[in-house]
Amino acid sequence: MNDRSREVFRRVVEGYLETGAPVGSRTLTRSMTESVSAATIRNVMQDLEHLGLLGSPHVSAGRIPTQTGLRMFVDGLLEVGDLDQDDRAKIDESRGANDSDVSALLDRVGSALSGVTRGASLVLTPKHEAAIKHIEFVSLAPDRALAVLVFADGHVENRVFTPSPGQTPASMREAANFLNALAEGRTLSELSSLMRREITRRRQEIDTLARTMVEEGLAVWTDKGESTERLIVRGRGNLIGEQGDEADLDRIRTLFDDLERKRDIADFLDLTEEGDGVRIFIGSENKLFSLSGSSLVVSPYMNADRKIIGAVGVIGPTRLNYGRIVPIVDYTAQLVGKMIADRG
């Protein structure tokens, strides 16, 4: 794009993000840095439409950015402002008392984030990452077995799964012995990574059935449907305006259905694991709420060892004020990580 088309594109997107309405050529003639006619601007917008960056919701209406256009704007033209001091103060208030109740802390953070952004906040609480003390597999029936995980902090988890045909109590004991030899002092995620390496290196040291047992144990523990993480949602009412049309309400209902089912809850954390910092997912890029037509601004938070243990984010319409939301989410994620580290 040349300078003129870039300015037209930027002003259309900024106008849409501010008002939610299509931006017309006559409106742009009053704000362009150079004096150009409405006809010239219409020609530029048609070129941008052919490039897939703008769209026209109605005949003879103005233009709005497409999902591709929004992505291009966010990646190349978005100006992220500094965190507003009032917003910072409201987020800081969520610190509350210096207690050890992490769930209560994150609940307050979610409420504060929702209030500041006027969107729906999402907070994924930390996984249980205590060191493992003991693992045991118990045969319940030919097609059912129990995995017992005992953690060093006293936490115990029991999970029922279906073993592969041919598993015997002996093969289960061998698999458990193999895991327990590796597990001492390690968390479940650390054991997961180590076990995959050990299985590759020591394949010849265990028989086929025991190896299958180990691999199936991993699958059970990382199964999304068995996730014990808790997704905290605050500010749902902020997603529905008083004058929302039927299409908006349908979109919100779909979003709420997704939230209630906690569909692909583990993906919320997976979205952040490709790197530090804030990430923006627009429309169908958002795997967690791909049917809702919404955008997700999300950032991981880390423990004292710089390991990602959870995430915070804001979800709302695709016309979010990204320049304002990004520093809020970034600051909140850093604050949560620090507060959790301070609590040990």
Side-chain angles (χ1 to χ4, degrees), residues 223-264:
D223 180 70
K224 296 176 183 178
E226 298 295 328
S227 175
T228 58
E229 290 123 357
R230 186 169 71 99
L231 185 65
I232 301 173
V233 183
R234 289 291 178 267
R236 296 179 182 181
N238 290 335
L239 293 178
I240 302 180
E242 294 180 358
Q243 300 178 352
D245 59 26
E246 188 63 28
D248 289 336
L249 296 179
D250 286 342
R251 178 179 62 82
I252 296 302
R253 277 192 285 268
T254 301
L255 170 60
F256 286 171
D257 288 341
D258 287 346
L259 292 174
E260 292 300 333
R261 290 194 305 268
K262 295 182 174 64
R263 180 175 59 85
D264 295 336

Side-chain angles (χ1 to χ4, degrees), residues 80-240:
V80 177
D82 295 327
L83 180 63
D84 183 84
Q85 292 303 312
D86 290 339
D87 292 340
R88 180 194 294 266
K90 292 175 182 176
I91 296 296
D92 285 343
E93 289 175 2
S94 64
R95 292 172 181 264
N98 187 23
D99 54 43
S100 59
D101 190 344
V102 174
S103 294
L105 163 66
L106 295 177
D107 213 21
R108 293 194 301 269
V109 168
S111 296
L113 190 57
S114 171
V116 168
T117 62
R118 298 185 180 276
S121 65
L122 302 179
V123 179
L124 188 64
T125 62
K127 296 180 288 186
H128 194 83
E129 283 292 302
I132 296 172
K133 184 177 181 180
H134 182 73
I135 297 173
E136 186 173 353
F137 297 121
V138 181
S139 177
L140 302 177
D143 61 344
R144 294 178 70 226
L146 180 70
V148 181
L149 284 75
V150 181
F151 294 87
D153 62 357
H155 181 75
V156 178
E157 291 188 15
N158 300 313
R159 303 183 182 182
V160 177
F161 65 99
T162 302
S164 294
Q167 291 290 346
T168 66
S171 67
M172 291 187 186
R173 283 195 299 271
E174 186 172 351
N177 291 337
F178 175 77
L179 290 173
N180 285 318
L182 300 175
E184 185 177 358
R186 293 187 171 92
T187 65
L188 197 57
S189 59
E190 290 171 342
L191 176 61
S192 175
S193 298
L194 177 62
M195 188 164 21
R196 291 186 186 279
R197 295 195 299 269
E198 286 294 313
I199 290 173
T200 300
R201 190 172 70 216
R202 300 175 59 184
R203 281 190 183 277
Q204 302 305 315
E205 298 180 27
I206 57 176
D207 63 65
T208 303
L209 289 177
R211 184 174 69 245
T212 303
M213 190 72 208
V214 171
E215 293 172 345
E216 287 188 350
L218 253 184
V220 170
W221 296 335
T222 59
D223 180 70
K224 296 176 183 178
E226 298 295 328
S227 175
T228 58
E229 290 123 357
R230 186 169 71 99
L231 185 65
I232 301 173
V233 183
R234 289 291 178 267
R236 296 179 182 181
N238 290 335
L239 293 178
I240 302 180

